[in-house]
Amino acid sequence: MATVTGQEVVDPGEYKIIGTRPVRHDGVDKVTGRAKYGADVQLAGMLHGKILRSPHAHAKILSIDTSKAVALPGVKAIVTSADFPILKDQSLDFGETQGNIRMLAENILANQKVLYKGHAILAIAATDQHIAEEALDLVDVKYEQLTPIFDVKEAMSKDAPVLHENLTTIFRVDRFGKGEDTGVKGNVAGLIQFKRGDLDEGFSKSDIVVEREFTTQTVHQGYIEPHTSTGQWSQDGHLTIWTSTQGSFVIRGATAAILGIPESMVKVIPMEIGGGFGGKTITYLDPLVAILSRKTGRPVKITMTRKEVFEGTGPTSGTYMRCKMGATKDGKITAGELYLAYEAGAFPGSPVGGGAMSGFGPYKIDNLQVDGYDVVVNKQKTAAYRAPGQPQAAFAVEPVIDELAEKLGMDPMDFRIINSVHEGDRAPSGVPHLKWGCEEVEQAMRDHPHYNEKLDGPNRGRGVAVGYRLNAGGSGSSATINVNSNGTINLITGSVDIGGTRTAVAMQAAEVLGISIDDVNPTVVDTDAVGWTGATGGSRIAFDTGRAAILASYQVITEMSERAALLWDVDPSDIVFEDGIFVSNKNTEDTMSFKELASKLMGTGGPVTCSSSDTQGGVGAQLAGHIVDVEVDPETGKVDLLKYTTFIDAGKAAHPSYVEGQMQGGALQGIGWALNEEYFFTEDGTMANASFLDYRMPTSLDLPMIDTVIIEVPNARHPFGLRGVGETVLIPPMAAIANAIHDAIGVRMDRLPMSPGAILEALRDNK
Amino acid sequence: MADKIHVQSNINGYDVDFLCESRQSLLEVLRDVLNLTGSKEGCNDGNCGACTVTMDGRIVESCCILGVEAEGKEIITIEGVASADSLHPVQQAFLEEAALQCGICTPGFIVSAKNLLEREPDADEERIRFWLAGNLCRCTGYDKIVRAVLKAGEVMRKG
Ligand code: FES
Ligand code: FES
């Protein structure tokens, strides 16, 4: 029976809509080319903007001469950091509360100093993009070059050149805590530390200890749609922004703060978004098009080139990591020590906190210490990338687990199961777990045919790895339901739909209301048209916005029960709603379907429109695991993938096809990260491979089919038991592939990418 | 400012006249001059396939063709794939197989896949993967895209 009672999980196997695979509501628009993405905005009189970027990785800006550019016919306006009220008189001061927003502004347009090659300096609006581009060549910027620093370990050393004079190390024991300022100056912006038990005692109890170092390189999310934004500043002070973002309200807030205007004067219209993976949660272009529009009185659009996306937006951190773990002969982990140093890029804020929370997450370890360093270097300011910081940490921990199992002569999945984390056990951060599917996923992997079938042939190997993530959520979601007289509903949210969430959320409303999924019309609207809603990120939309939609649906039922009570002349408390039917307790002949009652609303008090919001959070802890078979060519060092199976505890898969899609897409990004993706920096900090040709992402030809196994251990904090599924999928792949390579050719790869050259080198060193 | 050139072409079955600069790509003309924004720009240098259209029956990256090259040519864009009352089997299969997530790559994949299946309706997985290797997708891992094209092929073979 599909009755939903409050917050309890009721029979997760017995839903009418949840767990089915309907065609998504926005599907037809997206397969016919009608769906409007950010760059598709065309407005009368629209100007086009282009951005001038720094050719140096670290330099003082001495002067900017735009006189020749302004004189070019067709050029209409120029914006520099002097136009940002927030940056006008002062450069970055980390001590102030506005530090973050000023930092954001300084990343959007450099003020006094450029901190990486590609750092934006100014933007020009012209009648077309070619003229704007020509004008960039006419700008004369004088620089005084400074010594850049690129390597995370070098940047941490005492005599390293410093990016920000006032930067001091903040010490934290809680990822989101304020921390304490150590007063130590340098390039280390933060240290996060988790400690439990006694490390020495733990290692002294172990029969075997493995310790290894790892390095990884900067990689990009690689969304196919470049960043784009269009702005229109009206004479009445209202600013409208059409943009490609994961979070329209986040962009509204940041844009208003940078421009020094009230949020209420800004309307952000989120267009369809062509991928983000975390990289489109911050603003780069919106304040620029706003100012250019204010100066010209015309709408202005800026769309980045692919090169700009690579050079001027936020990839994720390159790292240096050390992992040491000890275990007893019977396979019990006694101690773990994890050292993480993550490049933040030009401004503080690497995802090292995520790595620190995640690395040891799949294991019950009584004695542990995790130290995570956030280090600024002269590279692009990093941004979120799917499970931020966590894939790197897994690449340090999971190969050590594999090696421990190998040395103990144990099956690597059995070893994991012995050390599995259960309800009540504490995560590395100290928080106790609710019920989650850690061991269930591990068991499913161990029992799966892929894990148990024979793998024949030379230079072939099988590897496994798992990944842990705690999805928080709770940043706020709003939903409005309007009931139409034909019994359909319009479901209005502010959650940008990046991969099918309109439908996943609509399914939850349909389930509660007992109507068909085709009777729900889900729409994503602008910031003027719906309550505050946080960004699409943290794997939270199906869960958080789903909960908001469920709460709004409950309200609809309550209001419609009142209408039924009016019609049948009974008390509203006598109305029961079951399986989509309103029934009177007083006379069970009195029944009406949702549809029938919807047609009677105008005569019983008018339209039913219900809004709800939700900030509960609790998207939940999650384990994902990957099994991969590879074949390594010892002549060329090339790694081919033969077979790939991914596992995840989805809690409950609302729309299994889109859960599978997340799993398969996560595997793809991980495979790219594992085998060939990296920012290839030259000595002066130039990204030498800033195109899709050279930053080679996996193509259809590089991959096998990617099999998926969804495990469902319901999440107690969601009425249907959902967990978020967007991110954990990217944590295991690099480690799984490294472990498979070891199985194939006997070498332990300790750096990413595991490109043909790196494999050949490792083979040579191994001889 | 550059002079504009008069170009006559047939786009999605309609004769179209447009003016463009000699430096404008076909993609730019489609999107900015003709407001046919279904073809997407992911790289503007021929490496992502999001801008794929057909020109006289051959798939091309419209970002790597000049607008003036459309003179006298028949162009089909994503907007010309469905008929007034029904989707093309490839489009239908993409929907049923959930072969899109963000959807930005989808127009390019559909134009490419349709072109393949018109030539080789019995294309197998390997052939499909080879043909579509010029179209990047960052969301799906290609699995569901390949399955959708296989399914569309089946439908098209049955006629
Ligand atoms: S935009 Fe033409 S191939 Fe990428
Ligand atoms: S669906 Fe997003 S790039 Fe393919």
Side-chain angles (χ1 to χ4, degrees):
Chain A
M1 196 171 65
T3 310
V4 182
T5 56
Q7 307 303 301
E8 301 296 323
V9 178
V10 180
D11 278 345
E14 296 217 346
Y15 299 121
K16 286 213 172 91
I17 307 229
I18 298 294
T20 62
R21 300 172 185 249
V23 166
R24 61 196 278 173
H25 297 80
D26 52 337
V28 174
D29 279 352
K30 285 182 177 163
V31 298
T32 54
R34 280 200 298 269
K36 288 289 180 204
Y37 291 75
D40 302 340
V41 172
Q42 307 278 5
L43 300 169
M46 190 169 78
L47 301 173
H48 296 263
K50 284 280 172 190
I51 294 171
L52 183 71
R53 294 177 183 277
S54 168
H56 304 300
H58 197 190
K60 261 192 204 137
I61 301 173
L62 299 178
S63 64
I64 301 176
D65 179 0
T66 57
S67 53
K68 285 203 189 107
V70 181
L72 185 72
V75 169
K76 299 295 177 193
I78 294 185
V79 54
T80 69
S81 67
D83 293 304
F84 287 168
I86 200 166
L87 288 181
K88 210 163 194 161
D89 316 308
Q90 51 214 326
S91 74
L92 197 59
D93 177 350
F94 292 96
E96 291 188 18
T97 49
Q98 281 188 322
N100 280 341
I101 202 77
R102 284 236 304 282
M103 191 162 81
L104 190 60
E106 273 209 33
N107 193 34
I108 294 171
L109 285 181
N111 183 32
Q112 301 175 13
K113 239 177 140 186
V114 289
L115 294 164
Y116 55 95
K117 185 175 179 290
H119 198 164
I121 292 165
L122 55 78
I124 296 182
T127 44
D128 74 47
Q129 47 171 324
H130 302 288
I131 294 172
E133 217 168 284
E134 282 172 31
L136 293 184
D137 287 341
L138 301 175
V139 177
D140 185 20
V141 185
K142 298 247 183 307
Y143 301 93
E144 177 191 328
Q145 287 201 55
L146 304 168
T147 312
I149 183 98
F150 305 115
D151 180 75
V152 65
K153 271 161 79 184
E154 282 171 28
M156 292 173 81
S157 73
K158 283 230 151 39
D159 41 4
V162 171
L163 271 74
H164 305 282
E165 268 168 33
N166 299 323
L167 183 66
T168 51
T169 308
I170 309 290
F171 178 78
R172 286 185 183 82
V173 291
D174 167 8
R175 184 174 170 203
F176 299 107
K178 206 169 160 286
E180 74 189 58
D181 192 340
T182 62
V184 178
K185 289 195 173 185
N187 293 319
V188 180
L191 165 60
I192 183 164
Q193 188 172 70
F194 300 135
K195 263 180 165 174
R196 180 189 306 161
D198 184 327
L199 216 49
D200 291 337
E201 199 187 306
F203 279 117
S204 71
K205 281 193 197 141
S206 58
D207 298 307
I208 182 161
V209 174
V210 170
E211 180 171 13
R212 282 191 179 268
E213 292 182 306
F214 300 87
T215 57
T216 70
Q217 302 303 316
T218 308
V219 294
H220 200 272
Q221 298 84 352
Y223 32 79
I224 304 297
E225 178 202 38
H227 296 253
T228 179
S229 183
T230 305
Q232 169 80 71
W233 202 314
S234 169
Q235 286 77 356
D236 64 7
H238 282 273
L239 169 63
T240 305
I241 301 270
W242 295 257
T243 191
S244 169
T245 179
Q246 293 174 238
S248 47
F249 286 86
V250 176
I251 295 300
R252 183 181 76 168
T255 303
I258 289 169
L259 299 175
I261 59 174
E263 276 189 2
S264 55
M265 298 300 275
V266 183
K267 169 159 98 175
V268 175
I269 302 175
M271 306 299 291
E272 297 297 342
I273 180 171
F277 311 107
K280 289 182 182 161
T281 49
I282 46 175
T283 175
Y284 297 100
L285 302 175
D286 314 290
L288 301 183
V289 294
I291 292 175
L292 290 169
S293 175
R294 189 181 58 198
K295 289 187 174 191
T296 57
R298 291 164 69 167
V300 177
K301 173 157 83 176
I302 300 182
T303 301
M304 286 192 194
T305 63
R306 177 53 50 184
K307 189 166 189 270
E308 287 184 283
V309 173
F310 279 121
E311 292 188 334
T313 70
T316 194
S317 306
T319 65
Y320 164 77
M321 305 177 288
R322 274 196 313 266
C323 179
K324 180 179 174 188
M325 298 181 88
T328 59
K329 276 204 283 290
D330 50 1
K332 189 88 198 79
I333 298 170
T334 55
E337 192 178 3
L338 186 59
Y339 174 99
L340 307 170
Y342 282 32
E343 297 168 359
F347 299 93
S350 78
V352 72
M357 302 242 311
S358 168
F360 284 148
Y363 307 102
K364 186 166 159 16
I365 308 175
D366 292 333
N367 305 294
L368 64 77
Q369 181 166 339
V370 183
D371 292 286
Y373 291 87
D374 180 31
V375 185
V376 295
V377 293
N378 291 109
K379 294 181 181 175
Q380 291 71 14
K381 162 73 182 84
T382 56
Y385 180 16
R386 207 170 198 169
Q390 296 149 53
Q392 292 99 321
F395 182 66
V397 173
E398 291 296 299
V400 170
I401 293 287
D402 199 64
E403 192 170 349
L404 281 171
E406 183 197 18
K407 294 200 162 146
L408 290 167
M410 291 185 78
D411 174 275
M413 286 317 302
D414 285 342
F415 182 56
R416 286 182 172 84
I417 289 167
I418 290 173
N419 295 287
S420 197
V421 178
H422 301 98
E423 188 174 355
D425 292 341
R426 287 185 297 149
S429 60
V431 184
H433 280 287
L434 300 178
K435 183 154 179 51
W436 70 307
C438 184
E439 183 168 344
E440 284 83 348
V441 169
E442 291 164 344
Q443 302 264 15
M445 291 172 73
R446 186 188 56 188
D447 299 340
H448 194 271
H450 181 180
Y451 192 65
N452 294 292
E453 74 201 12
K454 256 187 98 182
L455 177 62
D456 290 325
N459 302 312
R460 292 182 164 194
R462 176 169 297 150
V464 290
V466 297
Y468 156 81
R469 177 176 158 80
L470 179 64
N471 289 302
S475 61
S477 284
S478 304
T480 295
I481 292 176
N482 294 322
V483 181
N484 299 315
S485 60
N486 65 351
T488 62
I489 63 165
N490 292 332
L491 171 62
I492 298 160
T493 74
S495 288
V496 172
D497 183 353
I498 207 159
T501 51
R502 270 187 191 83
T503 299
V505 171
M507 290 169 79
Q508 299 176 53
E511 185 75 49
V512 174
L513 296 173
I515 57 179
S516 108
I517 187 63
D518 296 331
D519 288 338
V520 184
N521 173 30
T523 321
V524 178
V525 295
D526 65 64
T527 52
D528 279 4
V530 69
W532 201 92
T533 296
T536 297
S539 304
R540 67 174 204 95
I541 297 309
F543 180 100
D544 275 348
T545 309
R547 277 183 48 95
I550 290 169
L551 294 175
S553 302
Y554 291 155
Q555 284 185 31
V556 167
I557 292 170
T558 305
E559 275 205 36
M560 288 183 58
S561 297
E562 285 164 12
R563 308 301 177 88
L566 205 65
L567 287 170
W568 294 326
D569 202 13
V570 295
D571 198 78
S573 62
D574 291 324
I575 306 293
V576 177
F577 181 68
E578 249 178 43
D579 278 347
I581 311 279
F582 293 88
V583 188
S584 165
N585 263 342
K586 294 281 177 213
N587 177 4
T588 46
E589 309 263 285
D590 279 341
T591 66
M592 233 186 289
S593 70
F594 186 88
K595 263 188 201 288
E596 283 172 288
L597 185 54
S599 70
K600 299 182 176 3
L601 297 180
M602 290 310 274
T604 56
V608 166
T609 170
C610 297
S611 293
S612 203
S613 65
D614 186 55
T615 55
Q616 175 208 270
V619 187
Q622 184 168 57
L623 201 81
H626 293 196
I627 305 174
V628 57
D629 295 352
V630 302
E631 180 171 334
V632 184
D633 182 337
E635 300 289 312
T636 63
K638 183 167 186 292
V639 177
D640 279 326
L641 299 173
L642 305 174
K643 193 174 165 107
Y644 207 106
T645 310
T646 78
F647 301 72
I648 200 166
D649 168 18
K652 175 74 196 169
H655 191 310
S657 297
Y658 286 98
V659 174
E660 293 160 4
Q662 290 297 321
M663 298 166 80
Q664 293 160 335
L668 171 135
Q669 287 183 313
I671 290 163
W673 196 342
L675 296 179
N676 51 261
E677 290 181 29
E678 68 178 308
Y679 273 46
F680 193 91
F681 287 106
T682 61
E683 265 169 29
D684 66 353
T686 305
M687 182 189 181
N689 58 338
S691 75
F692 274 151
L693 181 65
D694 298 316
Y695 183 91
R696 196 175 168 304
M697 309 199 302
T699 70
S700 52
L701 208 50
D702 298 320
L703 300 191
M705 288 298 192
I706 296 168
D707 292 333
T708 56
V709 179
I710 300 172
I711 289 102
E712 297 184 325
V713 178
N715 179 0
R717 307 185 86 172
H718 186 281
F720 303 126
L722 270 60
R723 294 176 198 277
V725 293
E727 291 169 278
T728 316
V729 291
L730 181 55
I731 303 176
M734 289 73 84
I737 292 170
N739 292 342
I741 290 172
H742 173 260
D743 191 42
I745 57 171
V747 298
R748 292 253 171 228
M749 297 300 295
D750 57 5
R751 60 182 154 130
L752 295 179
M754 299 177 281
S755 58
I759 299 268
L760 287 182
E761 215 170 282
L763 274 172
R764 258 201 318 272
D765 293 348
N766 209 36
K767 275 203 182 121
Chain B
M1 243 172 282
D3 286 339
K4 295 201 169 172
I5 300 158
H6 176 212
V7 179
Q8 290 187 305
S9 171
N10 184 289
I11 300 179
N12 297 331
Y14 294 92
D15 288 333
V16 175
D17 285 56
F18 60 83
L19 294 174
C20 74
E21 293 177 29
S22 55
R23 63 184 172 186
Q24 284 184 298
S25 70
L26 176 58
L27 177 62
E28 203 183 325
V29 167
L30 290 171
R31 291 177 53 81
D32 295 350
V33 180
L34 301 173
N35 207 7
L36 288 167
T37 57
S39 305
K40 302 301 180 193
E41 178 181 321
C43 67
N44 209 27
D45 58 12
N47 285 301
C48 76
C51 64
T52 306
V53 301
T54 60
M55 188 152 142
D56 286 350
R58 287 186 51 200
I59 54 170
V60 293
E61 320 284 26
S62 63
C63 70
C64 291
I65 302 262
L66 290 171
V68 292
E69 291 180 78
E71 174 69 36
K73 297 284 199 317
E74 277 183 22
I75 312 278
I76 304 283
T77 71
I78 183 66
E79 288 92 344
V81 171
S83 63
D85 57 358
S86 69
L87 297 176
H88 186 273
V90 174
Q91 292 171 312
Q92 191 60 36
F94 265 61
L95 291 182
E96 287 166 7
E97 293 297 305
L100 57 145
Q101 280 176 38
C102 78
I104 197 82
C105 68
T106 308
F109 270 100
I110 287 175
V111 170
S112 293
K114 170 175 176 275
N115 193 262
L116 168 65
L117 295 178
E118 280 165 0
R119 296 155 193 261
E120 306 170 32
D122 52 0
D124 62 6
E125 181 192 336
E126 205 187 321
R127 182 72 181 136
I128 291 167
R129 285 187 182 277
F130 180 80
W131 187 269
L132 296 179
N135 292 81
L136 289 178
C137 174
R138 192 62 163 171
C139 300
T140 63
Y142 304 106
D143 185 294
K144 293 189 189 303
I145 292 177
V146 173
R147 286 178 205 278
V149 178
L150 284 166
K151 182 172 181 178
E154 222 171 277
V155 173
M156 286 168 75
R157 284 199 299 277
K158 283 187 198 138

